[in-house]
């Protein structure tokens, strides 16, 4: 049977600007690549500082998931044989995290700067690489041998056994060659998944000293090279000859790829009578494997069975709660789990159902599937206040009497049941293995010999079965389950429209206007109009789209002839997105000619051709959130991702005092669920039905790549719970209750923040408090402190945003498109994350105009410059001698700074340090994730402004309301116009000092500058500064109450305001 083998491919393309090492200004470089205990080497390029290799190196990986378990190291060396040198032959290295590996088809050429090995090495240059992985299906090389081979065949295997000795000797020779680095290794390794038996040398007496640990096994297997390629031929015949020493031979490394655990399997497959022990398997695996724990549970006993002393003695250990570290931020919620698997020997031909009753709660399962047994495979979770709550568990099987077995009125025939005492049900925690179901004999009813297979235990919300189980607090609705969603991978698609040819007959001589329309899904962009007479218009214009993986759409280009009355489509080109090249930097992509075809003609006649340059820009971060609340700044290309700096853990405890969001059967109710979003990962808690104080106690974790990001948590009311009430109600949107934001950079490391925050919602009637949410947050650092501080010195956005920046309007347009694509993708999930929920979490309408936000931003500016205003007031009070002591101290400080100017900058920085240290006492102890009504200017707001803020575009209000809004906006615009004119006037007066618009004013200013320059040449600068300071701080009795002459002179300068019509 074919197996899947994952291989990592490293394409070493070229290098640039390497260091000379041979003493003659050049180097002879080669590359050594190490990954997963395997080493590959390229050819040596003789005397070239910009070498080109273009070699493909393959690395075998044990399992499909092991490709992300190691580091890839690329070392560049100078070949000493080509140019002897006494210096180190090390030219640089690159270490790549496994998170940067991508699947084949997503790779791109990336130039990585070469790094140093130590502080005292001098390295320069960069190396171009393509790193990706592929999955190959490998089939066995030969059919398995018979289990009992005849003796006659054993005699025929002697010649092949002798032939295997040659590869054995070649193996040692190849190992010596690798150690000496005198021969080039082959880029491809033998396929390890194919069953290959050990060569004969594994049972030689001189090779019985085998490594006993996995680390020794990996180190011993590294020198092995290509020789095992010759071993598959004798493979089916060798094991019968060496059956006795096989367990010992299984420890000897033969495969050159020590990370593959399939070598022992292939050895034992040839001997079916000797089963493979688990200990041998674990000894051959060199990669890190999780520890397997087997927990022993006492299955719950029905109450009609007598409990033995052994069972009674084991009950207390089962009840010792084991705290789970991954759920340490929330409270434990205990549930009684009942897993109904199947039944047998039931006297019915229908579809029986199972009824489960615990205390006052009763639920019925879905109808059984007819197979060899009656199968349900359904899990139920009943909430419990404490694990020791005493109650009875009744499980009964019924044969519905009606044709609809799911109807509550279909009681039917009682087939039997079983009862349990909940006090005897074991307590299980997730580190333990799942409890195995058991057969229980049904008593009562018509099933005298019927058996029911089920398992019951007491667990918490951390149990693996909890997410898919029927729960008492969710009413069993499918859309009420907690789920994790991932945003689609978004790319910027850059389409450069260069020119078009052959679009008009050669006889056409009049000028024509042409335009190219590009469409990708619902996105439509057009180029500018190009006027051409010869039928070859040119544009050289970039059009940028947002595309989501998987790429199954087509990019459609339409060439239009803009005439006076109508627009004629001359030709259409359809380009599959899967054929477009990807890039991660600003290198130029090769342009191509695409034929234009008639869109209406089925024969696809030739209508000209278009010159286009298409590429996916993976170096950008596709914004789907507002920049000030963004949760991720990583580029699209996975190769450019950096290792995470930590992790943030969020515990969604619950809500309190929620307002009723709807009325069901005359009673107000709320079916609340929480949604959290950080990066590409979305989480949705389960929906707690009909509760104003829901408790979730769910915990989630995200990797943090940049601490200056924001985690968003929102609460919504679910209408999907009432889908069965009618299609009209199921189409209603989920109402928003509120949201909070937590900035990761405001969290201290390894500290748990557990607080209750108000849920505030801005409605057309004003700000309303919808309730409170209790959250627990913790940030853990995964890198050293210096690396964390180094993150603050890096640019926030990827490099492409600085090399080829996007315009502000273009960014907003692309962000709106990206948010709609994400909302559409998540709304197609099951259960869906509704479109209105996604758009609210992404703040898709944050760019809409609002008078309230204009006022809020204005007061934010005033708050920022309030410190400067306070400094100006303090200076004015000082020079007014309101506090003579402070003024005298300022005089002394002025004298010290003037005579010792070197102390000015240190004194200023020390003053800033003192202010920061003083404010440390008043720092916020807890983050402030909730919106502030005071900062938002939402406490006292006009109803008309709120109505305008919630109005759509285009407006749906009456003409009178729109006219009133327009008049109000004109009044505000007049104020802005006046302020802008005042700023322009002051700037023009400064220009008028030297432009001779006012000859007398300019003559006075120029002459004064000349006199001051002569004085400063003759008088020491310290004396001038000291005199100026004393003059500015002079006592008010020596001052005139009128404005200073310099200010009067400046106000008299001319401006251009008198020339505006």
């Amino acid at each position: 049977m074919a197996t899947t083998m994952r291989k990592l491919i490293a394409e070493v393309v070229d290098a640039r600007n390497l260091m000379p090492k041979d003493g003659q200004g050049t180097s002879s470089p080669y590359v050594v690549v190490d990954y997963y205990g395997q080493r590959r080497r390229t050819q040596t390029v003789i005397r070239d500082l910009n070498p080109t290799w273009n070699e493909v190196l393959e690395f075998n990986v044990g399992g499909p998931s092991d490709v992300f378990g190691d580091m890839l190291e690329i070392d560049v060396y100078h070949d000493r044989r080509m140019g002897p040198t006494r210096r180190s032959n090390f030219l640089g290295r690159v270490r790549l995290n496994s998170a940067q590996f991508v699947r084949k088809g997503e790779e791109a050429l990336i130039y990585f700067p070469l790094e140093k090995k130590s502080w005292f090495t001098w390295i320069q240059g960069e190396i171009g690489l393509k790193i990706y992985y592929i999955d190959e299906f490998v089939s066995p090389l030969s059919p398995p041998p018979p289990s009992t081979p005849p003796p006659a065949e054993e005699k025929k295997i002697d010649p092949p056994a002798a032939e295997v000795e040659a590869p054995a000797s070649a193996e040692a020779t190849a190992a010596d060659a690798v150690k000496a680095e005198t021969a080039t290794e082959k880029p491809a390794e033998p396929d390890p998944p194919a069953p290959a038996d050990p060569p004969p040398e594994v049972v030689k007496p001189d090779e019985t000293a085998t490594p006993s640990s996995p680390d020794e096994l990996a180190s011993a297997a590294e020198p092995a090279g290509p020789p095992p390629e010759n071993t598959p031929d004798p493979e089916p015949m060798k094991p019968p000859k060496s059956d006795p020493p096989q367990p010992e031979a299984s420890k000897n490394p033969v495969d050159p790829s020590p990370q593959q655990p399939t070598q022992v399997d292939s050895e034992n497959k040839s001997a079916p009578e000797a089963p493979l022990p688990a200990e041998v398997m674990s000894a051959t695996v060199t990669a890190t494997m999780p520890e397997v724990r087997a927990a022993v549970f006492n299955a719950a006993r029905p109450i009609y069975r007598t409990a033995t002393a052994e069972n009674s003695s084991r009950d207390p250990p089962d009840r010792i709660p084991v705290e789970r570290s991954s759920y340490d931020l929330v409270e434990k919620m205990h549930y009684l789990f009942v897993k109904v698997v199947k039944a047998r020997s039931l006297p019915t031909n229908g579809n029986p159902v199972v009824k489960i009753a615990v205390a006052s709660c009763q639920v019925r399962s879905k109808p059984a599937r007819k197979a060899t047994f009656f199968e349900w495979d359904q899990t139920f979770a009943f909430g419990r206040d404490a694990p020791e709550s005493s109650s009875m568990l009744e499980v009964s099987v019924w044969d519905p009497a009606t044709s609809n077995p799911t109807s509550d009125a279909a009681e039917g025939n009682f087939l039997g049941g079983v009862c349990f005492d909940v006090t005897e049900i074991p307590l299980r925690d997730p580190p333990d293995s799942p409890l195995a179901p058991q057969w229980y004999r049904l008593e009562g009813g018509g099933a005298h010999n019927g058996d029911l297979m089920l398992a019951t235990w007491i667990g918490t919300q951390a149990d693996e079965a909890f997410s898919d189980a029927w729960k008492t607090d969710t009413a069993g609705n499918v859309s009420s389950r907690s789920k994790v969603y991932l945003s689609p991978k978004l790319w910027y698609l850059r389409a450069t429209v260069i020119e078009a040819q052959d679009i008009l007959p050669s006889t056409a001589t009049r000028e024509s206007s042409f335009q190219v329309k590009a469409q990708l899904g619902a996105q439509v962009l057009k180029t500018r109009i190009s006027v051409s007479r010869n039928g070859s218009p040119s544009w050289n214009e970039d059009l940028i789209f947002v595309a989501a993986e998987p790429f199954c759409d087509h990019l459609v280009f339409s060439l239009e002839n803009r005439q006076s009355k109508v627009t004629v489509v001359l030709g259409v080109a359809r380009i599959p997105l899967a054929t477009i090249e990807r890039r991660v930097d600003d290198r130029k992509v090769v342009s191509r000619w695409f034929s234009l075809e008639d869109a209406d003609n089925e024969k696809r006649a030739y209508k000209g051709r278009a010159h286009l340059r298409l590429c996916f820009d993976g170096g950008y971060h596709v914004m789907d959130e507002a920049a000030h609340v963004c949760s991720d700044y990583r580029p699209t290309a996975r190769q450019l991702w950096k290792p995470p700096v930590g992790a943030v853990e969020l515990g969604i405890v619950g809500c309190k005092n929620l307002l009723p969001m709807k009325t069901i059967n005359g009673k107000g109710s709320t079916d609340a669920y929480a949604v959290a979003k950080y990066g590409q990962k979305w989480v949705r808690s389960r929906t707690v039905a009909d509760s104003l104080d829901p408790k979730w106690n769910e915990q989630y974790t995200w990797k943090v790549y940049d601490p200056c990001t924001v985690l968003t948590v929102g609460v919504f009311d679910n209408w999907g719970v009432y889908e069965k009430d009618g299609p009209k109600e199921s189409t209603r949107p989920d109402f928003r209750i509120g949201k909070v934001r937590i900035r990761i950079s405001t969290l201290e490391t390894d500290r748990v923040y557990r607080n209750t925050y108000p849920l505030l919602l801005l409605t057309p009637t004003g700000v309303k408090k919808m309730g409170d949410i209790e959250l627990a947050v913790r940030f853990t650092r995964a890198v050293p402190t210096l690396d964390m501080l180094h993150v603050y010195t890096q640019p926030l956005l990827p490099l492409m945003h600085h090399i080829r920046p996007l315009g502000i309007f273009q960014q907003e347009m692309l962000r709106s498109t990206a948010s709609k694509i994400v909302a559409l993708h998540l709304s197609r999930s099951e259960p869906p994350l509704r479109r209105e929920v996604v758009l609210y979490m992404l703040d898709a309408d944050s760019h809409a105009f609002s008078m309230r936000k204009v006022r809020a931003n204005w007061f934010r500016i005033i708050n920022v410059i309030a410190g400067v205003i306070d400094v100006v007031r303090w200076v004015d009070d000082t020079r007014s001698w309101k506090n003579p002591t402070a003024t005298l101290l300022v005089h002394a400080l002025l004298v010290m700074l003037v005579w010792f100017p070197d102390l000015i900058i240190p004194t200023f920085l020390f003053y800033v340090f003192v202010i920061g240290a003083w404010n440390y006492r008043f720092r916020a102890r807890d983050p402030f994730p909730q919106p502030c009504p005071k900062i938002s200017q939402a406490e006292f707001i006009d109803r008309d402004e709120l109505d305008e803020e919630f109005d759509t575009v285009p407006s749906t209000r009456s003409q009178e309301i729109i006219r009133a809004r327009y008049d109000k906006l004109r009044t505000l615009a007049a104020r802005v116009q006046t302020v802008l004119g005042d700023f322009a006037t002051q700037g023009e007066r400064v220009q008028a000092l030297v432009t001779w618009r006012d000859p007398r004013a300019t003559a006075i200013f120029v002459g004064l500058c000349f006199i001051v320059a002569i004085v400063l040449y003759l008088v020491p600068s310290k004396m001038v500064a000291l005199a100026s300071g004393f003059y500015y701080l002079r006592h008010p009795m020596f001052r005139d109450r009128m404005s200073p002459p310099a200010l009067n002179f400046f106000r008299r300068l001319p401006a251009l305001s008198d020339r505006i019509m």
Side-chain angles (χ1 to χ4, degrees):
M1 183 177 180
T3 58
T4 302
M5 180 62 189
R6 177 158 290 183
K7 289 188 177 183
L8 181 69
I9 309 299
E11 294 188 17
V12 184
V13 182
D14 59 354
R16 303 172 180 172
N17 304 323
L18 297 180
M19 282 286 296
K21 286 289 185 177
D22 61 354
Q24 301 177 3
T26 61
S27 294
S28 300
Y30 66 93
V31 179
V32 176
V33 185
D34 289 296
Y35 178 73
Y36 213 81
Q38 304 168 72
R39 173 170 293 183
R40 304 288 183 268
R41 182 185 186 277
T42 66
Q43 298 285 348
T44 300
V45 179
I46 302 175
R47 295 184 179 86
D48 193 350
L49 297 180
N50 299 287
T52 300
W53 292 283
N54 286 323
E55 295 191 26
V56 179
L57 308 180
E58 294 185 1
F59 297 89
N60 298 323
V61 185
S65 61
D66 293 340
V67 71
F68 303 110
D70 204 351
M71 295 285 294
L72 178 69
E73 181 171 345
I74 300 98
D75 297 309
V76 186
Y77 294 97
H78 163 67
D79 198 337
R80 296 177 183 269
R81 299 174 302 172
M82 304 301 175
T85 177
R86 295 183 178 180
R87 294 181 294 177
S88 171
N89 65 334
F90 179 72
L91 294 175
R93 71 174 179 180
V94 175
R95 291 174 60 88
L96 300 180
N97 193 303
S98 57
Q100 299 174 276
F101 303 159
V102 297
R103 192 179 299 275
K104 182 175 176 57
E106 301 179 9
E107 75 278 3
L109 177 60
I110 305 179
Y111 285 90
F112 297 93
L114 295 174
E115 302 173 355
K116 301 179 180 180
K117 258 187 179 178
S118 63
W119 291 95
F120 304 101
T121 55
W122 181 258
I123 298 299
Q124 70 177 27
E126 54 187 7
I127 184 171
L129 303 170
K130 288 184 180 181
I131 310 296
Y132 55 93
Y133 60 90
I134 59 175
D135 293 328
E136 294 183 352
F137 292 96
V138 182
S139 57
L141 296 180
S142 59
S147 57
T148 308
E153 294 183 1
E154 293 184 2
K155 297 181 181 180
K156 296 180 181 180
I157 65 174
D158 293 334
E163 293 175 5
V164 182
E165 299 294 339
S169 60
E171 180 181 354
T173 306
D176 296 336
V178 172
K179 293 180 181 179
E181 294 185 0
T182 58
T184 302
E185 295 183 10
K186 295 182 179 180
E189 288 290 315
D191 295 334
D197 293 289
E201 64 270 18
V202 298
V203 295
K204 291 182 179 180
D206 55 349
E207 295 183 2
T208 55
T210 58
S212 58
S213 65
D215 296 335
E216 295 176 358
L217 180 62
S219 60
E222 286 182 1
E229 292 178 349
N230 302 327
T231 59
D233 292 336
E235 170 194 354
M237 310 178 186
K238 188 63 186 173
K241 189 176 180 179
S242 57
D243 279 342
Q246 263 198 358
E248 194 170 338
S250 62
K251 300 179 182 179
N252 196 358
V254 178
D255 199 306
S257 302
Q259 73 281 4
Q260 302 153 11
T262 57
Q263 179 67 31
V264 177
D265 293 337
S266 62
E267 294 175 12
N268 289 274
K269 282 179 181 179
S270 59
E273 66 277 7
L276 178 66
E279 292 78 10
V280 177
M281 183 65 179
S282 61
T284 59
V285 180
T286 60
T288 303
M289 300 295 291
E291 181 182 359
V292 179
R293 298 179 55 190
V296 179
F297 279 102
N298 293 325
R301 294 180 177 270
I303 59 174
Y304 53 82
R305 297 183 181 180
T306 304
T308 60
E310 180 183 1
N311 293 332
S312 302
S313 62
R314 289 187 181 182
D315 280 343
D318 289 339
R319 301 184 180 280
I320 298 177
V322 180
E323 294 294 334
R324 189 184 182 190
S325 59
S326 60
Y327 270 76
D328 56 349
L329 297 183
V330 296
E331 302 172 356
K332 273 194 171 185
M333 300 180 65
H334 289 86
Y335 289 85
L336 172 60
F337 289 88
V338 179
K339 183 177 181 180
V340 181
V341 183
K342 54 188 175 181
R344 64 186 178 187
S345 303
L346 297 182
T348 178
N349 294 324
N351 301 99
V353 297
V354 175
K355 291 185 180 181
I356 304 174
V358 179
S360 59
C361 182
Q362 184 175 357
V363 64
R364 58 189 299 150
S365 70
K366 60 185 179 182
R369 300 186 303 270
K370 290 184 178 180
T372 307
F373 301 98
F374 297 95
E375 299 180 356
W376 291 278
D377 197 12
Q378 195 171 358
T379 306
F380 303 87
F382 300 89
R384 296 173 56 81
D385 297 333
E388 302 295 338
S389 298
S390 177
S391 61
M392 298 295 295
L393 171 63
E394 299 179 3
V395 183
S396 57
V397 183
W398 295 74
D399 185 16
T402 63
S403 59
N404 184 12
T406 60
S407 175
D408 293 337
E411 291 294 338
N413 300 322
F414 176 66
L415 300 180
V418 59
C419 297
F420 298 90
D421 188 354
V422 179
T423 59
E424 296 184 1
I425 297 178
L427 178 67
R428 174 186 176 265
D429 284 288
D432 301 325
S433 301
L435 186 65
Q438 294 187 9
W439 288 103
Y440 294 93
R441 178 58 55 90
L442 297 175
E443 293 191 351
H448 300 288
N449 297 322
D451 295 321
L452 178 66
M453 176 179 283
L454 59 86
T456 177
W457 70 94
I458 295 178
T460 63
Q461 71 271 27
D463 200 288
E464 295 88 345
F466 181 76
S467 59
D468 296 329
W470 182 96
K471 310 174 189 65
T472 53
D473 55 0
T474 63
N477 191 274
V478 177
S479 62
S480 303
R481 298 175 180 175
S482 58
K483 291 293 181 181
V484 177
Y485 306 84
L486 288 179
S487 297
K489 192 174 184 180
L490 302 178
W491 292 75
Y492 281 151
L493 172 58
R494 185 185 295 272
T496 304
V497 184
I498 303 175
E499 60 177 339
Q501 293 180 359
D502 306 335
I503 58 177
L504 289 179
S506 58
T507 57
T509 57
R510 62 186 182 89
E511 291 184 349
S512 300
S513 300
F514 300 96
Q515 188 179 37
V516 174
K517 182 180 74 173
Q519 183 174 1
L520 177 61
Q523 307 174 60
V524 178
L525 297 178
K526 295 183 179 181
T527 63
R528 70 180 190 278
I529 297 177
S530 176
V531 179
S532 175
R533 177 175 296 180
N534 57 3
S536 299
S538 61
W539 294 273
N540 286 322
E541 189 173 348
D542 286 347
L543 306 177
I544 300 181
F545 301 86
V546 179
E549 291 186 356
F551 299 135
C552 54
D553 294 336
H554 286 73
L555 180 60
V556 182
F557 289 92
S558 302
L559 180 60
E560 300 176 347
N561 184 7
R562 303 296 297 268
Q563 299 177 1
S564 57
K565 296 183 179 180
V566 295
T567 300
V568 180
V569 179
L570 301 178
V572 176
R574 294 179 175 86
I575 305 170
L577 296 184
T579 62
I580 298 178
E581 184 180 353
R582 308 184 187 191
R583 70 174 185 179
V584 297
D585 50 15
D586 60 337
R587 63 183 178 86
K588 274 209 169 186
V589 179
V590 178
S591 58
R592 297 171 53 191
W593 288 94
F594 295 90
S595 298
L596 299 175
E597 301 172 347
D598 191 354
D600 300 330
N601 190 359
E602 296 181 357
K603 296 182 179 180
R604 304 296 184 186
Y606 177 75
K607 292 294 182 179
R609 59 177 185 168
H611 194 194
L612 307 174
R613 181 182 294 114
L614 306 175
C615 67
F616 286 108
D617 274 332
Y620 289 96
H621 168 69
V622 181
M623 286 277 190
D624 58 353
E625 303 169 288
H628 61 282
V629 292
C630 192
S631 61
D632 190 11
Y633 294 102
R634 291 176 296 169
T636 302
R638 191 185 184 95
Q639 302 94 317
L640 301 180
W641 290 4
K642 297 180 180 179
V645 298
V648 58
E649 299 173 77
L650 173 66
I652 308 176
V653 181
C655 286
K656 299 178 180 178
N657 305 323
L658 293 181
L659 297 181
M661 301 301 298
K662 53 182 175 288
T663 302
I664 303 297
N665 298 327
K667 174 187 175 184
S669 65
T670 298
D671 305 315
Y673 67 93
V675 176
K677 195 264 181 186
Y678 185 80
Q680 294 182 344
K681 180 180 177 182
W682 299 67
V683 297
R684 169 179 173 165
S685 70
R686 68 185 186 278
T687 301
V688 178
D690 194 14
S691 176
L692 302 180
D693 298 315
K695 291 292 183 181
W696 295 293
N697 285 305
E698 299 181 11
Q699 185 169 338
Y700 302 95
T701 304
W702 289 267
K703 291 182 179 180
V704 177
Y705 293 86
D706 194 319
C708 302
T709 47
V710 176
L711 170 65
T712 305
V713 183
V715 182
F716 303 87
D717 177 64
N718 190 0
W719 265 100
V721 176
Y722 297 94
E723 287 182 350
K724 58 184 179 180
D725 293 343
K728 185 175 180 181
E729 288 187 343
S730 63
T731 56
R732 294 186 181 183
D734 287 353
F735 294 144
R736 59 185 71 170
I737 299 178
K739 66 181 175 183
V740 296
R741 297 190 183 99
I742 302 174
R743 185 165 292 273
I744 306 301
S745 59
T746 61
L747 305 177
E748 298 181 9
T749 305
D750 295 329
R751 178 184 172 184
V752 178
Y753 296 85
R754 181 163 180 170
N755 296 288
T756 301
Y757 307 103
L759 293 172
L760 303 178
L761 184 65
L762 184 64
T763 63
T765 59
V767 178
K768 183 184 294 185
K769 183 179 179 181
M770 310 299 293
D772 300 293
I773 184 173
E774 186 176 0
L775 301 175
V777 188
R778 177 174 58 200
F779 172 72
T780 55
R781 192 179 70 242
V783 296
T785 305
L786 292 179
D787 292 345
M788 175 66 74
L789 299 180
H790 178 68
V791 174
Y792 282 83
T793 64
Q794 301 300 308
L796 200 61
L797 292 171
L799 184 61
M800 282 294 292
H801 287 271
H802 303 274
I803 298 178
R804 301 189 65 177
L806 303 175
I808 297 179
F809 175 76
Q810 192 177 30
Q811 285 184 1
E812 286 297 327
M813 182 187 65
L814 293 174
R815 186 177 80 87
S816 177
T817 303
S819 60
K820 294 177 181 178
I821 292 177
V822 173
L824 180 62
H825 177 85
L826 297 180
S827 63
R828 295 175 177 175
S829 305
E830 185 59 38
L833 200 58
R834 292 181 179 260
R835 182 176 184 272
E836 62 272 9
V837 173
V838 177
L839 294 180
Y840 177 65
M841 295 288 292
L842 296 177
D843 278 339
D845 56 348
S846 60
H847 62 281
F849 174 77
S850 170
M851 286 294 298
R852 175 186 60 84
K853 292 182 180 179
V854 172
R855 192 181 299 108
N857 292 332
W858 168 254
F859 282 106
R860 287 173 58 198
I861 296 176
I862 297 300
N863 189 32
V864 169
I865 64 177
V868 179
I869 297 175
D870 292 340
V871 172
V872 172
R873 290 177 179 174
W874 175 81
V875 172
D876 187 67
D877 293 342
T878 302
R879 68 189 295 262
S880 300
W881 290 75
K882 290 186 177 180
N883 188 353
T885 304
T887 305
L888 292 177
L889 291 176
V890 170
H891 280 77
L893 179 64
L894 176 63
V895 172
M896 184 185 68
L897 294 180
V898 168
W899 288 103
F900 303 98
D902 297 341
L903 299 178
I904 294 178
I905 296 179
T907 302
F908 173 75
L909 296 179
F910 183 77
Y911 179 70
V912 173
F913 165 76
V914 171
I915 293 177
W918 179 263
N919 291 336
Y920 181 77
R921 301 171 52 198
F922 310 102
R923 72 189 186 279
R925 302 293 180 178
D926 297 317
F928 299 97
Q930 72 276 9
C932 180
K934 184 177 181 181
I935 297 178
S936 304
Q937 295 295 312
E939 292 180 331
F940 306 101
I941 187 172
D942 188 50
R943 289 292 183 89
D944 295 336
E945 294 181 358
L946 275 176
D947 182 71
E948 180 183 8
E949 183 173 349
F950 282 91
D951 194 8
T952 58
V953 179
S955 178
T956 57
R957 301 298 185 264
S958 62
Q959 294 183 359
E960 291 78 9
I961 296 178
I962 296 177
R963 185 180 295 110
R965 292 177 183 174
Y966 178 68
D967 294 339
K968 186 176 181 180
L969 186 61
R970 290 179 62 188
T971 304
L972 178 63
R975 298 178 185 176
V976 176
Q977 171 184 307
T978 303
V979 174
L980 294 178
D982 293 340
F983 276 107
T985 298
Q986 306 307 322
E988 290 168 353
R989 286 174 177 173
V990 174
Q991 293 178 346
L993 290 172
V994 292
T995 55
W996 296 92
R997 289 196 60 210
D998 187 344
R1000 283 179 290 274
T1002 304
I1004 293 174
F1005 178 75
V1006 173
L1008 185 62
C1009 289
F1010 177 75
I1011 295 174
V1012 173
I1014 296 300
V1015 173
L1016 292 179
Y1017 276 126
L1018 300 178
V1019 182
S1021 58
K1022 295 181 179 180
M1023 298 297 296
V1024 175
L1026 192 61
S1028 302
F1030 282 178
Y1031 176 77
Y1032 181 76
L1033 296 174
R1034 68 190 184 279
H1035 198 274
M1037 64 182 299
F1038 301 109
R1039 249 188 249 142
D1040 191 0
R1041 294 186 178 182
M1042 302 299 291
S1043 56
L1047 185 58
N1048 295 333
F1049 175 78
F1050 183 77
R1051 288 175 177 173
R1052 291 177 177 274
L1053 292 174
L1056 299 179
S1057 57
D1058 54 349
R1059 305 178 66 176
I1060 295 179
M1061 299 180 63

